[in-house]
């Protein structure tokens, strides 16, 4: 099993999987923005090398089946009305615990090892994602490992192979992200999209 805790340890997440399904580094401006928003409201601070763009954010993925203690502290947010991601943040200490995304198809969940206290077995990150959101100069300064662009892991499986696999079997007290959300509408934070966003820049070029 694997366990994740918020900064003040009021909330614990228990996953049946002993290790994440996949691990990557991510240059996506949305990942950084949601973490920085939480930090500005008293949440865990990002490591300095992430803030200064010397390292992308660390991302791990587990199957969408977990047991939660401390439900009353869970809060759900989106950066903008059209955001594809829904974030689970704690109200007790503003730790970003989980992220769901429409592309995950209900099969997996994202966690940030830089922000949560994580007890699991971690393999090295497989690749760097979202590089189009980063300044080219900063990309050139990254080490050769992990490589930029999607790759298969040591077992020869892609991100999709692992993260779109079936859910772990239900176990006592387990829920999915959708069940945690319980039909509620996430709070929309209304943050402006980062100007470095490749999506935003590509729209302005049209």
């Amino acid at each position: 099993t694997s366990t994740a805790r918020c900064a003040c340890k009021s909330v614990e997440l228990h996953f049946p999987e002993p290790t994440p399904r996949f691990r990557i580094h991510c240059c996506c401006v949305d990942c950084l923005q949601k973490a920085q928003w939480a930090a500005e409201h008293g949440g865990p601070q990002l490591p300095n090398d992430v803030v200064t763009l010397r390292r992308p954010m660390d991302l791990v993925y587990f199957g969408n089946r977990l047991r939660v203690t401390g439900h009353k502290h869970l809060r759900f947010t989106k950066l903008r009305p059209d955001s594809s991601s829904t974030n689970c943040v704690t109200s007790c200490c503003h730790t970003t615990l989980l992220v769901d995304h429409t592309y995950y198809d209900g099969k997996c969940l994202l966690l940030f090892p830089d922000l949560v206290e994580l007890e699991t077995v971690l393999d090295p990150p497989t690749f760097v994602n979202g590089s189009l959101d980063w300044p080219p100069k900063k990309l050139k300064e990254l080490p050769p490992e992990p490589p930029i662009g999607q790759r298969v892991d040591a077992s020869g499986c892609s991100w999709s192979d692992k993260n779109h696999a079936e859910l772990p079997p239900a176990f006592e007290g387990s829920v999915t992200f959708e069940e945690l959300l319980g039909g509620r509408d996430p709070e929309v934070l209304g943050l402006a999209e980062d100007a470095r966003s490749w999506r935003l820049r590509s729209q302005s070029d049209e």
Side-chain angles (χ1 to χ4, degrees):
T1 61
S2 300
T3 302
R5 299 181 184 87
C6 68
C8 72
K9 298 180 173 58
S10 295
V11 181
E12 285 192 355
L13 312 177
H14 303 273
F15 297 91
E17 296 163 314
T19 187
R21 292 182 169 195
F22 221 85
R23 182 185 181 192
I24 65 172
H25 278 177
C26 188
C27 301
C28 162
V29 291
D30 283 356
C31 283
L32 188 61
Q33 187 177 41
K34 65 188 65 178
Q36 289 178 323
W37 175 87
E40 290 167 2
H41 288 77
Q45 300 296 307
L46 283 165
N48 185 63
D49 59 350
V50 173
V51 175
T52 56
L53 302 186
R54 288 183 287 116
R55 171 173 69 82
M57 288 194 69
D58 197 6
L59 277 58
V60 296
Y61 299 86
F62 287 95
N64 184 16
R65 181 87 67 190
L66 68 160
R67 187 177 75 251
V68 179
T69 58
H71 288 78
K72 66 180 181 180
H73 301 294
L74 300 184
R75 173 185 180 186
F76 296 88
T77 68
K78 299 181 78 167
L79 295 178
R80 291 169 287 280
D82 62 348
S83 293
S84 299
S85 294
T86 300
N87 317 303
C88 178
V89 184
T90 63
S91 58
C92 47
C93 60
H94 282 87
T95 299
T96 303
L97 283 175
L98 296 167
V99 179
D100 184 31
H101 190 285
T102 54
Y103 181 67
Y104 301 167
D105 198 27
K107 299 292 180 63
C108 67
L109 298 170
L110 162 64
L111 284 79
F112 298 112
D114 290 320
L115 303 177
V116 299
E117 180 184 306
L118 186 59
E119 292 181 8
T120 191
V121 178
L122 286 177
D123 292 326
T126 302
F127 60 82
V128 174
N129 188 52
S131 60
L132 292 175
D133 280 1
W134 257 35
K137 180 182 177 181
K138 289 292 185 180
L139 282 177
K140 292 178 181 178
E141 294 172 356
L142 290 177
E145 294 292 334
I148 295 172
Q150 295 209 21
R151 302 289 195 279
V152 296
D153 65 9
S155 66
C157 292
S158 69
W159 185 100
S160 186
D161 291 336
K162 290 287 186 73
N163 287 322
H164 286 159
E166 291 304 311
L167 301 186
F171 57 96
E172 185 176 357
S174 67
V175 293
T176 63
F177 189 92
E178 294 75 20
E179 290 168 339
L180 282 176
L181 186 58
R184 290 172 284 179
D185 291 326
E187 175 187 357
V188 177
L189 302 179
L191 303 183
E193 189 165 358
D194 192 305
R196 292 175 301 178
S197 162
W198 175 82
R199 188 185 77 88
L200 199 61
R201 288 186 285 113
S202 64
Q203 288 178 346
S204 66
D205 291 340
E206 292 177 355

